[in-house]
Every structure is written in C-alpha cells, then in structure tokens.
Amino acid sequence: IGEGIIGKTFQTNQSIRLTSMDDILRESATMSSENTQHLLNSFQFESLQSIISVPIKVEEQTLCVLIIYQNGLTSLLTKEDQQLLESFSDQVSIALKNSKLFHDLKKHNQLLVQRDRIHDTFIKISLQSKGLKFIVNELFKLIHKPLIIFDFSEDQFFSSPGEWLTEFPNELKRIITHCQDPSFHSLQVSGQEKLIYIHPIIAIDVPFGLIIVEVNEGDLLPLDKMILEQASSIIALEMIRKHTLTESYYQKTHDLFHDFLQCKENYLLTQKAVELGLDLASNNLVILIHIPSHMDIQFTHIQVHKLISLIKESLHEHTPIIFGYRNKITILCQFSTHSQKNYLLSNLKNIQTSWKYLYEGDIKIGVGSSYQELESIQKSYTEADKAITYLVSKRLTGIMNFEEIGINRLFINHPNEELNAFINEVFLPLQTENDQSLMLEQTLLVYMENDRTPGKTAQLLHIHVNTLYKRLKKIEEILNISLTDTEDILKLQLACYLRKTSNSI
C-alpha cells in the first residue's frame, strides 16, 4: 500500500493519469526492486506512453485498482478517458456491492436453514431425555471438535470423545467458576498447551454449567458458535430437570431423617434406620455445614449441590445420608474404627480447603460427638447444630467439634447483649476517672487466670505482693464482693473468661 502507482491509488482512493514517461518513472520510483522486477517480467513497457489508474471502491473502501497502460508512439489517454474509467469503476463497485449483498443474503439464508435443522435436532434430543452424556456425544457430531459439558450443581463433567479429557484440572475449575460470557482461554492439559472456548449455560439468570470446546486459533466458525448457543438452552433445560429431581430427593430424605430423629420407640427407630440405609452396627456421627445465604435462592441451591458432590467424592462410602435443605447440608457419617473417624475428619478439613480455593467461599462446619446407639443420633445432631450456632454467634468460619466448645456451650443460646451486660456488671465499675481502669482490670484478669496465686500474679504484673493485696482490696470494695466467697469467685471467673473470649467488648 502506497508503493508505486497502484499502491498510491489504493492508499489515496483517487484516480491518477500520467501522460509522460518522466511522470511514470517518478511515480514508480517508490516501488521495491523485487516488485519492479515482477512488473517488468509481466509486460514489455518499451513503448509505454500513458497510464490511467482508478480505484474501485465499495462503501468508500478501496477493494482493488484498475490500471490501463497505453503503448505506442504518442500519449493518447485523455481526461475524458479518465472520467470514463471512473464511471466504469463506479459500475464495477455497484456490481461488487450487489454481489456482496447477494453473498451475505445467501449465507444468512443458509444459516437460517441450518439453524432450523439444528433446532429440530436439539428438540429431538431434548424430548429423548437421555441425559448429558448423550447430548455431549450428539453435539460432538455437529461441530466435530472435542468438547465437555460441565454441570455446576453436580460438579460433574461429560466429555466427547471420551478419551479427550479423563481428569478435570483444578486450574480449569477456577477459570470456569468466574466465567460469565463466551471467551477463549489457554490451558495446560497433560503437559500440552490447549486453547479452549468456554460458553456459559445460563438458566433463570443463574449459571448452571459450561460448554468447553478445544479449538485452534480462528478455528471456531460462526455456525459452531450458533450450535453452541442453541445447545446451551437444551442443556440448561436438562440441568434444571436434573436439579429439580435432586431437590425432590433431598426434600424426601430431609423428611425421612427428621422423622427418624423424632422417633422414640426402638422398633420404629430400627425400621426407619433400615429404610434410610443405615448400618445398625456402626458408630454414628452427624455433621452440619452452613453455606452463606445468597439473594438468589437458585444460586444457593447450586452451591449446596456443588458442595455435596465434593463431599460424596471424598466420603462416599461413609455417608449413607447426605442432603441439602435451604443453605444447610446434613451428613450422617458411619464408621467402625477410630482410624476411620480420623480419616473422616481429616477429609472434612481437605473439603473445606478445596471449597475455599475453588469457589473463594467460607463455610461453617459443626461436628457432633460419635455414638453407636441409634437413639443417640438425635444427640449428635443437636451437638452439631450447637457447634454451628457457636460459629455463627462468634462470626467464625471453619470446623468446630462440639467437644471443643468447652464451657462456651453454656452460653450458645444466650444473646450477646445479655453476655455483654454480665461482663460490664463486673468491669465497668472498675473504670474510674483517675485512669485506674486498666490497672484494676488487668490485675483482676491476671489474678483469675493464674488460679488466684498472689506470688505469681504479682510477678507477672511486676509489682510487690503488698501492692497486689491493696488492688484486690480496692476491687472488693468497688464491686461489693469478697474474694473468699465461692459464689463471688465463680462470678468473677466467668466474667474474666467471657471478657477474654468475647468479640464485642
């Protein structure tokens, strides 16, 4: 572009008429030596006299150049000839534009015909209700590229051809978690760099899954994208159907399990345990998992399904009962040996870590105590629920075993305001205007923490033991208590413990 007479015509979108050899040579001087040689090899220019070069434009964009070389003894090409060729180029432009419009219309018509054919194909697939594995195989036949359908709710993937991807990399899981629009990504699979195209599957404004296609650069045609777009709607319907069936199963399991918990008669308890598929000889342990609520209830349901799939993958043989209800997951674990229990709890920690890594979400996990008797499953469930309540009240995340709550289990159901009022009843009177508050509070806390041992307390506070006795006397006077009264001592111990562990004061 811009090189020689033709390049200049193409660049400027203006016609050129040259009627002397000097002008022709001057305008041709910008050509490279290689292109000059190509031109000289194509025609004999010994008797060249004049040139007209005219751009041919479509929608003001130059597509090509028409150039006429006139040989002979004298220059013959005139201004009228230039105008005639400009008019001719306009006719060519119209012809090219019409051809382009016809080509686009024909192509669009073909796409519409193909869209109808593809739509009919997917409708038939949908009516057959053969599942996502069947759909991914049929989709592969249409686009002829390796692909995957990933189901968020079940944390499952279906690939075609089957040997394309045998394991789903965590790197890909992190990519797809945040994918909202069709996009290209690079991925390492078995040591090889692969380019993939990701098309989200959206239903009820919630991402249910993804279609992932292995492609080469520029290898995904508009028709392929159209096929993927139509396929995503059918897949979304299949996922919603599957999701609804799972929700129905969870609801049924929830009802059966809570009927079991409320059962008091041994015969009925055993009968319901068999109905739930429990091993009557195993130890039992209840785990409750709390997922943060989301404004969109469908999003919360999908998160519950994802987490259940992750748990089943790790603990399947030890979880005869697992179901989601609202934003809570209930798990009844069964095991025979202590090592199996340790294995369960260790895997539970791994599940929490994986969830935080993959989905950047914090969950609360409450673990009850283990019991062998069927009637004690209710107790384990209540303990797990109290562990969850403790995490919620303390605004903590992670795993909490009921046994680890300690004395805090006495205060789980007490409102924070009530606990703070009790703490303030002891510590607020110690706050005086002459800045004695820190001194007296610290003295009381260290004294109680060290089992009311004067020598050790004085040493830790870096004061003489007589000074300690004076401070303790001052505390007794302010609070109107006696450090020899067991009830007063218990009150101070509780206040100091709550003062130390409370997040509110």
Side-chain angles (χ1 to χ4, degrees):
I1 296 173
E3 183 180 334
I5 298 168
I6 296 173
K8 184 177 180 181
T9 305
F10 189 92
Q11 187 178 54
T12 62
N13 286 344
Q14 300 292 324
S15 64
I16 299 174
R17 183 173 64 93
L18 303 172
T19 56
S20 72
M21 198 60 187
D22 289 340
D23 290 342
I24 293 170
L25 291 174
R26 185 185 66 253
E27 293 294 341
S28 301
T30 57
M31 291 177 65
S32 67
S33 57
E34 183 181 358
N35 285 340
T36 300
Q37 193 58 49
H38 284 308
L39 185 60
L40 293 176
N41 288 339
S42 67
F43 192 75
Q44 299 299 317
F45 293 104
E46 288 86 352
S47 56
L48 182 62
Q49 294 296 330
S50 59
I51 288 176
I52 296 177
S53 180
V54 180
I56 296 176
K57 297 177 282 187
V58 173
E59 297 175 350
E60 298 306 315
Q61 291 292 321
T62 302
L63 295 185
C64 53
V65 173
L66 168 65
I67 186 165
I68 292 187
Y69 301 97
Q70 180 253 314
N71 292 329
L73 300 176
T74 59
S75 176
L76 298 176
L77 296 178
T78 64
K79 184 75 173 175
E80 288 73 19
D81 294 327
Q82 184 178 359
Q83 292 173 349
L84 178 63
L85 287 175
E86 286 174 355
S87 298
F88 175 71
S89 76
D90 289 340
Q91 298 299 315
V92 175
S93 296
I94 292 170
L96 288 174
K97 185 175 182 180
N98 288 340
S99 175
K100 183 177 182 296
L101 288 172
F102 177 76
H103 176 75
D104 290 345
L105 186 62
K106 185 179 178 181
K107 186 177 179 181
H108 184 66
N109 185 60
Q110 289 173 341
L111 282 174
L112 288 176
V113 172
Q114 288 172 323
R115 182 188 287 269
D116 288 341
R117 180 173 58 82
I118 292 163
H119 180 73
D120 291 341
T121 301
F122 282 126
I123 288 296
K124 291 176 184 176
I125 291 172
S126 178
L127 292 173
Q128 292 177 33
S129 297
K130 291 187 177 180
L132 294 177
K133 182 59 182 174
F134 177 74
I135 292 176
V136 77
N137 288 333
E138 292 301 306
L139 191 51
F140 173 69
K141 293 176 186 176
L142 289 171
I143 66 173
H144 306 292
K145 293 176 179 63
L147 72 147
I148 287 170
I149 296 174
F150 185 81
D151 184 352
F152 280 172
S153 62
E154 300 294 334
D155 201 30
Q156 286 182 309
F157 72 95
F158 306 86
S159 63
S160 184
E163 65 274 8
W164 175 50
L165 195 65
T166 55
E167 185 177 347
F168 209 78
N170 280 340
E171 178 193 351
L172 186 52
K173 284 189 179 183
R174 281 186 61 81
I175 290 173
I176 65 179
T177 300
H178 306 288
C179 182
Q180 299 293 325
D181 300 298
S183 54
F184 288 92
H185 296 272
S186 283
L187 180 70
Q188 284 283 340
V189 178
S190 302
Q192 293 185 338
E193 188 82 13
K194 290 185 181 291
L195 182 68
I196 58 172
Y197 178 77
I198 298 180
H199 187 97
I201 299 166
I202 309 292
I204 329 170
D205 295 327
V206 175
F208 267 69
L210 295 165
I211 306 172
I212 304 164
V213 185
E214 182 186 359
V215 293
N216 296 318
E217 196 72 47
D219 194 27
L220 200 66
L221 302 175
L223 179 62
D224 295 329
K225 292 183 179 180
M226 184 184 71
I227 291 171
L228 294 174
E229 183 181 347
Q230 291 210 16
S232 68
S233 301
I234 302 300
I235 295 168
L237 288 173
E238 179 66 24
M239 286 181 174
I240 289 173
R241 185 184 70 82
K242 188 176 174 185
H243 184 84
T244 304
L245 289 173
T246 305
E247 282 293 319
S248 176
Y249 169 77
Y250 287 164
Q251 181 66 56
K252 182 181 177 182
T253 308
H254 169 272
D255 295 342
L256 285 172
F257 182 67
H258 281 270
D259 284 346
F260 169 79
L261 292 180
Q262 299 303 318
C263 195
K264 302 300 181 185
E265 298 181 20
N266 286 335
Y267 170 74
L268 287 176
L269 196 68
T270 303
Q271 189 178 35
K272 289 184 180 295
V274 172
E275 187 178 353
L276 286 165
L278 301 184
D279 182 355
L280 304 182
S282 291
N283 294 306
N284 304 289
L285 171 73
V286 177
I287 299 170
L288 297 179
I289 301 178
H290 181 276
I291 294 178
S293 296
H294 193 273
M295 290 177 61
D296 191 329
I297 192 168
Q298 281 291 348
F299 180 84
T300 303
H301 285 171
I302 289 176
Q303 293 291 91
V304 167
H305 287 211
K306 280 184 190 177
L307 187 49
I308 287 177
S309 296
L310 197 62
I311 294 166
K312 283 182 176 179
E313 189 179 332
S314 298
L315 308 176
H316 178 68
E317 59 185 284
H318 296 290
T319 55
I321 296 177
I322 179 169
F323 60 88
Y325 185 72
R326 295 177 181 167
N327 66 326
K328 186 168 76 173
I329 295 171
T330 302
I331 311 167
L332 175 61
C333 299
Q334 291 196 306
F335 54 92
S336 301
T337 64
H338 188 70
S339 61
Q340 286 180 342
K341 178 183 176 181
N342 291 337
Y343 167 81
L344 281 169
L345 297 178
S346 173
N347 271 21
L348 195 62
K349 179 64 178 175
N350 293 337
I351 289 166
Q352 183 213 1
T353 304
S354 298
W355 183 262
K356 188 166 186 176
Y357 170 77
L358 292 173
Y359 306 110
E360 298 178 0
D362 288 315
I363 53 178
K364 305 178 195 299
I365 304 176
V367 182
S369 304
S370 58
Y371 303 97
Q372 187 170 21
E373 304 82 8
L374 289 176
E375 58 269 22
S376 296
I377 293 176
Q378 164 73 53
K379 187 177 179 182
S380 184
Y381 178 86
T382 303
E383 291 173 349
D385 191 49
K386 286 183 178 180
I388 287 284
T389 304
Y390 175 77
L391 290 173
V392 171
S393 67
K394 295 295 182 180
R395 298 175 185 173
L396 301 172
T397 57
I399 302 174
M400 176 57 67
N401 290 284
F402 178 73
E403 295 99 335
E404 295 172 359
I405 300 177
I407 196 172
N408 281 297
R409 69 184 68 173
L410 300 174
F411 311 111
I412 286 174
N413 295 317
H414 284 73
N416 283 332
E417 293 78 9
E418 188 177 330
L419 294 177
N420 287 337
F422 176 74
I423 296 168
N424 291 334
E425 187 179 316
V426 171
F427 287 99
L428 277 181
L430 300 180
Q431 299 177 5
T432 60
E433 292 183 1
N434 58 356
D435 200 28
Q436 299 251 331
S437 57
L438 286 176
M439 181 182 69
L440 294 179
E441 282 186 22
Q442 186 183 25
T443 299
L444 181 58
L445 288 166
V446 174
Y447 183 64
M448 288 298 171
E449 189 175 342
N450 288 279
D451 199 25
R452 308 194 323 277
T453 306
K456 189 172 182 181
T457 303
Q459 184 181 2
L460 290 171
L461 291 172
H462 305 291
I463 59 174
H464 193 274
V465 71
N466 290 335
T467 304
L468 173 64
Y469 286 132
K470 288 179 182 178
R471 290 186 187 180
L472 294 176
K473 186 66 176 175
K474 183 70 174 176
I475 290 170
E476 285 180 315
E477 291 172 358
I478 293 173
L479 299 180
N480 193 26
I481 60 164
S482 170
L483 289 174
T484 58
D485 185 282
T486 54
E487 188 173 332
D488 287 342
I489 291 171
L490 179 60
K491 177 181 176 181
L492 292 178
Q493 286 174 329
L494 280 175
C496 289
Y497 175 79
L498 293 172
R499 173 73 169 79
K500 186 178 179 180
T501 60
S502 174
N503 293 323
S504 306
I505 199 164

